[in-house]
Each structure stands twice: as C-alpha cells, then as structure tokens.
Amino acid sequence: MGLSKSGVLAAVLITGALLGGFHPAFADDEDEKDRAARWKQLQESIFPHREVLDSGGIITVDAPPRALDAALVPVELQMPSGKPVKGVYLIIDDNPAPMAAHFVFGPKADPRDLKFRVRVNAYTNIHAIAETADGQLHAASRFVKAAGGCSAPAGSDEAAAMADMGRMKLRLLGNFNAGKPMQAQLMIRHPNFNGMQMNQITRFYTPARFIRTIDATYDGGQVFHLDADISLSTDPVITFGFVPHGKGQMKVVAQDSSNATFDHSFDVPGG
Amino acid sequence: MRTLGIIAILAVLLSTGLWAATEPDGFWTGPVNDPVPTTIKGGKVIHTRDLAALLEKKDKVVLVDVSDAPRRPDNLPATATWLPVPHPAIAGAIWIPGAGLGAPPASVDEFFRQRLATATGNDLARPLVLYCHEKCWLSWNGAKRAIQYGYQNVYWFPEGIEGWRKAKLPTEVVQPEPTP
C-alpha cells in the first residue's frame, strides 16, 4: 500500500519536475529586447514615416496565450470605441511574412468585432493596428506561444482540399433587425498552402497557393475588403459585423494567388 | 502494489507525452517537434556545458545547424513584406536547412554530403556537431545522416539553440546555405 502511494507521489513529482523544466523561459530580458527591436523594424517597414500610437481604447486583440494548434490560432479584434475606423491590420511579428491581414471597412460594415484564424510560426507578439478615419494608427498587442504553424503539414487530403476549393458558407449570428448591426460568419474552403508545407508522400514542398483578397458587399455596398497572404489558416473562417437594412444579398468574392476567383451570393432574409 | 506504482508513473508520463522516444531504426519521419530519444547509435550525445568546453578546446569542430528556414513563395506579391526574423546560431555554425529531413529529396542529400565534405576538408575524423532546436528531430536525423556518410566523431546536441541561449553562450546571426 505504502509503495503504491509513494509510486503515485513519485509520478506526480517527476511529472511536475519535467513540466517545470520542459518549457523554456522565453521571456527573459534578451528576448524582450529582441521583440522590441523586431516591432520597431516592422513599424518602419510597414508604416514608414508614420507614428504608431498605443491602443488608446480604440482597439484590443485577443488570442489564446498558448495555442493548441499553431496552424489554427483564433484571433479576435475589437474596436468598441465607436470612433470611425477605416481599416485594421494584423501583424504576426515573427512570421516571415508578418502582415497577416489588412481589412478595409466599407459603409456597410460594423467593424467593432472581427474574428479569424492564422498560422503562427514561433513564440511571438502579434499586433493589431486600427487605422481611424482621420488616419491615426493605434496598436494593441498580445504574446502568443505557438510554434511550427508555418511548416505544419496541411493535414487532410491535398486532392480533396483542391476539389473543394472555393466552396463557401455564410452563417448569420443573432437576430435580424433592420438597420441594426449583426454578425456573420463566412467560411471558405481553401487549402491556403503557404509553400512551407511538405507533402508527406512526395516529400516535396507543396507550392504556395493562397487567398489574396476577399470582398464582401451587401446589396452593392462594401462591407469589407481583405488583403491577405500565407498567414491565413487553411479554410479561412471570418466573423465580421455588418448593418443590414432589410432583405438583401451578401456577395462574397475571393481571389487566390493563381488568379482563381470564387464568388457566392447569400440571401439575408429580412426581419 | 509495486507494479501499480510503476504503472501509475508510466501512465502519467505517457499521458503527458514526456516519455523520451526510443531510437528508430532509420530516420525519423514523424512530427519534427516531438519528444526525442536520449541516444544516437554510432554517435555521441553532447550537452550544453560539454559542448561549450569542446568548442573551447578544439578549433576544428564543424558545427552544423539544420533548423528549417522560411521559404519565400514565388507567387508572394513583390509588394508583400518578407522579413524573416534574424536566425541566431551558435557562434561559428553553418546553417544547412533541409539536412535533417526524414526523407529529403536526393538533391538535398547530395548537397549536405558535399557541404560536409568541404567543411571538414574531407576528413571523416573531424568532430561534427549537429543541432537545431530543443525537442526537434531534425538534428537527430542530420546527425544520423552524417554518421551514415562515414563521419566517426558525430555529436548530437539535443538542447539546441534554446539550451545554448539559456546558458547565455555566444551566438551570431547566420544566413542559410543555399540548400536546393
């Protein structure tokens, strides 16, 4: 009996010791300095000669501190202030192509809440930058622990993914009230190959093929335009807000790096 | 009762995925970032302090980093920001991405063989150290490949760059070799 108890105790102690020593202390001073230098480099490269202000209550960014799957990291951007926002950038500092997404909002958008999924290659800061209508940039950031999202195998069957490419679904979330903002979830089937994933059978890198732009319009009025590249996850899912005036059509057009165009119109039933 | 205790230990270790892997017969073709073994047949495992001492004592050690390098897609727009983070390596290392793949294309295998031959001056007795990241099979595969090429003093450094940096040992930023 005593042995069994001590056995369990030993197991707990050993596991604790291993877990404790397992994840390296990445957040030491050296790393902090590197991260600050990296962010400075990115600002200069992406927003040359422009000042990037702090969030100032304009924007927040949320992501799991430790991602379960580095190839599918959910991020949520919130811009609750009501101050008119022209667009928003998501930058994943340590990804080789750090600019993951740039949304430009149109007159039919409700930009207050935006969700999508990205690939994260390393323990990294992510920055969300809102551009207000008066041209100011406001940044919020978060540290994410994930690694290997860029070279993670595409997973499912490549041929099946290609066959399904461009299929879309739109889900309306919540209740319809004419003139009141509501959320919609757009799902697009696309492998979004980033060129760094190795085919497990051929042992060669699958050539990059990724969604470059998505345009959503509601009865002819722009909701958003998205510029993206290889950091968007396989099968993009984007949850966004828009303001329906009544029964209408949500049209989505996506174009990928091979110049394939996918479009679909969805009915938005009136209340 | 003793058996139960041992089973409990095993169960906890297995369930947390922390059980060190056993050496595969050939190259590892599973997930790259996975628990690694504690041994390598035909070579030696070296840890941080011993590696620092080896590099201090011998100036003819060939250090090879086999970490992955980001690959810029050909079809990424020219205007896209492509800014891979600087790659810190153990001071003096050469970086040969791809050399630790489980089943690399023949061209990569040949490139690695040639590059090692040049770096060692065709001396199979020269000490070689292979590393990448912690908990990363690429360096194990790379070391195994070097052993198969006939190198007699192959060291595998499983703590990788993370272990090296944690010990505050010198690093320098390197560019990758042009692996095909």
Side-chain angles (χ1 to χ4, degrees), chain B residues 49-111:
Chain B
R49 210 179 319 156
D50 292 339
L51 177 56
L54 179 76
L55 295 178
E56 198 137 293
K57 205 168 61 198
K58 296 194 176 171
D59 55 359
K60 290 195 151 183
V61 177
V62 174
L63 257 171
V64 186
D65 177 352
V66 295
S67 310
D68 272 336
R71 304 161 60 88
R72 183 185 172 120
D74 299 334
N75 49 4
L76 199 68
T79 51
T81 307
W82 180 257
L83 269 179
V85 282
H87 184 84
I90 297 176
I94 50 175
W95 180 19
I96 312 179
L101 293 172
S107 55
V108 173
D109 190 26
E110 192 49 34
F111 180 83

Side-chain angles (χ1 to χ4, degrees), chain A residues 1 7 11 15 18 22 24 26 28 31 34 38 41-42 94 96-98 194-196 203-205 208 210 212 257, chain B residues 1 5 8-9 12-13 16 18 29 70-71 73 75-77 81-85 101 103 105 134-135 162 165-166 168:
Chain A
M1 206 56 202
T15 309
L18 284 171
F22 196 57
F26 264 96
D28 66 14
D31 288 342
D34 287 355
R38 174 68 171 177
Q41 177 195 30
L42 291 176
D94 287 3
N194 65 3
M196 295 175 226
R203 299 282 158 198
F204 282 97
Y205 291 99
F210 49 91
R212 263 186 186 155
S257 56
Chain B
M1 282 301 139
I9 294 177
V12 171
L13 287 174
T16 50
L18 296 175
T29 55
R71 304 161 60 88
N75 49 4
L76 199 68
T81 307
W82 180 257
L83 269 179
V85 282
L101 293 172
E134 59 179 355
K135 210 182 90 163
E162 287 79 13
R165 290 186 73 181
K166 215 156 41 174
K168 310 265 183 232

Side-chain angles (χ1 to χ4, degrees), chain A residues 26-40:
Chain A
F26 264 96
D28 66 14
D29 298 347
E30 198 60 32
D31 288 342
E32 286 299 320
K33 248 187 282 167
D34 287 355
R35 287 186 211 296
R38 174 68 171 177
W39 174 231
K40 190 160 179 281

